[in-house]
Amino acid sequence: MKITFILPAIGKKPGEKYIGTWKMEPLTIAVLKSLTPPDIETEFYDDRIECINYDTKTNLVVITVETYTAQRSYRIADQFRQRGIPVIMGGYHVTLLPEEARQYADSIITGNAEAVWKTMLQDFQNQKLKKVYHGTVEYSDVPPDKSIFAGKKYLPISLVETGRGCCHSCEFCAISTYYHCKYYRREHQNIIRDIQNSTHNFYFLVDDNLIADLNNAKTLLQKIEPLKIKWAGQGTLAMAKDKELLKLMKKSGCELILIGFESLEEESLKQMNKSFNAALGERDELVQRIHDAGIGIYATFVFGYDGDTYQTFADTLDFAKKHNFYTAAFNHLLPHPGTRLYQRLKEEKRLIYDQWWLDEHYIYGDIAFQPKNMSAAELSQLCRQARKEFANFSTVVKRGLYSIKRSSPLMWLLFWSMNLRLGKEVDEKMKIPLGRNLDELPK
Ligand code: SF4
């Protein structure tokens, strides 16, 4: 028996390569490979970096679906099913919208696949495949088998999972919907094992909120310290309120931390249920503490909440430039299905595309709802301008000079490669057609 795993791409413009910074190794596929008994043959097509062979000799196709890749996933599934190959789908999007996914698959897995994977395979081999398998949200720990990535060129960063979910409930966040506002920590010994088994020297600790369980985070960091690694991760600004935590982070090798500031507008923070982000004066001090600890910040902002005006963009840019963030993302709000944000905008009749992820008129970078204080087109353009301005050469040089005082040589090199690449990608990312015309295009 043979299984073909597929990770679909978001989309690709004619004649252009896939966005470089979107090419991280897909951990989920390595976990599924690890769960698969060795007597079952496996192959993997990463649609982001290679063409799919629809005529491959296989018994079963497994597709991991995210909201952005849903349209592409369904098209790929159609191709295989037309050839008589059954398709199973899983992933966040399938869990949030199972009824939609069921229309395009022979079977779906909701929740985390680990708990039901082996049962599903046995059912398939016994020709008793069920229509739906319900995985759990809890952790069942599996060492990823990255041998399935052999020959594929990903960013040279080792991904190691440290936890899933988050204790908060931001209105726009699909993670909080999926995990019901709970955090699931991973066994430390398994994290250490995965770090030791990884190939690249720089690590991204995959966690929706690394500091969701503060005591757990501190214990883990103490265990990571002797491994002498360099790592980046993701957390909230609240980390800076705990000086001991910051010290442990740095000592364990933390070089860069992604923080969702989201907005500087109190009204918008309140509306998104993220008021736990600090008030303005305190925010400046907390940022400084992280920088003083020798950790760079990847700041992310989101625009389009009802408290946002034209001035919000200027103020946010000033804030980001003032603090010389290592890098930053200026995103527009996107109503993901299954979130409270989506429900609210639908009830307020403000959705421009009811199912933007399937709408053939929707393209990457478009706004899917009607903002309160500007037009949808203005919101999209203002986000683009903010990205451009933050990535312009003089701003990058100024941030680079600030960063050199705090960074290791590795992070200094990464600074340039990351920021120059992200600057170049601002326009490359705009107007990517969701899920269309990929196979015929040059890589
Ligand atoms: S803090 Fe981050 S991960 Fe947690 S619910 Fe809010 S946006 Fe989602």
Side-chain angles (χ1 to χ4, degrees), residues 166 168-170 172-173 175-176 208-209 234 236 262 274 276:
C166 178
H168 298 296
S169 63
C170 304
F172 59 84
C173 181
I175 305 281
S176 65
D208 299 309
N209 183 3
Q234 183 171 329
T236 69
E262 318 305 4
K274 204 160 184 173
F276 61 85

Side-chain angles (χ1 to χ4, degrees), residues 385-401:
Q385 279 169 22
R387 292 175 201 131
K388 287 290 236 191
E389 194 168 331
F390 193 70
N392 78 31
F393 193 66
S394 61
T395 310
V396 174
V397 170
K398 183 170 165 279
R399 290 189 284 118
L401 290 173

Side-chain angles (χ1 to χ4, degrees), residues 270-285:
K270 203 166 161 201
Q271 195 176 26
M272 68 178 81
N273 198 29
K274 204 160 184 173
S275 295
F276 61 85
N277 261 3
L280 199 55
E282 194 191 16
R283 194 181 291 139
D284 285 328
E285 191 193 324

Side-chain angles (χ1 to χ4, degrees), residues 160-286:
V160 173
E161 193 172 25
T162 51
R164 292 176 185 171
C166 178
C167 49
H168 298 296
S169 63
C170 304
E171 189 200 36
F172 59 84
C173 181
I175 305 281
S176 65
T177 311
Y178 186 96
Y179 288 105
H180 308 294
C181 307
K182 275 183 78 177
Y183 178 74
Y184 297 90
R185 64 182 278 276
R186 193 175 178 210
E187 288 299 328
H188 294 173
Q189 68 212 35
N190 297 331
I191 298 169
I192 303 296
R193 178 205 58 211
D194 286 358
I195 290 176
Q196 288 169 329
N197 288 342
S198 295
T199 42
H200 302 297
N201 296 329
F202 192 71
Y203 293 78
F204 187 78
L205 301 185
V206 181
D207 203 312
D208 299 309
N209 183 3
L210 188 63
I211 63 151
D213 178 339
L214 214 51
N215 288 332
N216 171 62
K218 287 181 181 177
T219 315
L220 174 64
L221 296 173
Q222 283 164 340
K223 291 180 187 170
I224 289 178
E225 188 189 334
L227 303 178
K228 304 280 176 227
I229 63 166
K230 301 279 182 213
W231 61 270
Q234 183 171 329
T236 69
L237 190 57
M239 71 181 66
K241 293 181 179 170
D242 190 322
K243 290 185 181 165
E244 184 200 2
L245 176 71
L246 285 183
K247 267 192 204 151
L248 288 170
M249 285 170 67
K250 186 62 190 175
K251 277 169 85 178
S252 66
C254 180
E255 294 282 343
L256 182 65
I257 195 83
L258 187 150
I259 294 177
F261 288 85
E262 318 305 4
S263 181
L264 304 188
E265 303 289 349
E266 294 305 319
E267 185 192 334
S268 296
L269 283 173
K270 203 166 161 201
Q271 195 176 26
M272 68 178 81
N273 198 29
K274 204 160 184 173
S275 295
F276 61 85
N277 261 3
L280 199 55
E282 194 191 16
R283 194 181 291 139
D284 285 328
E285 191 193 324
L286 296 177

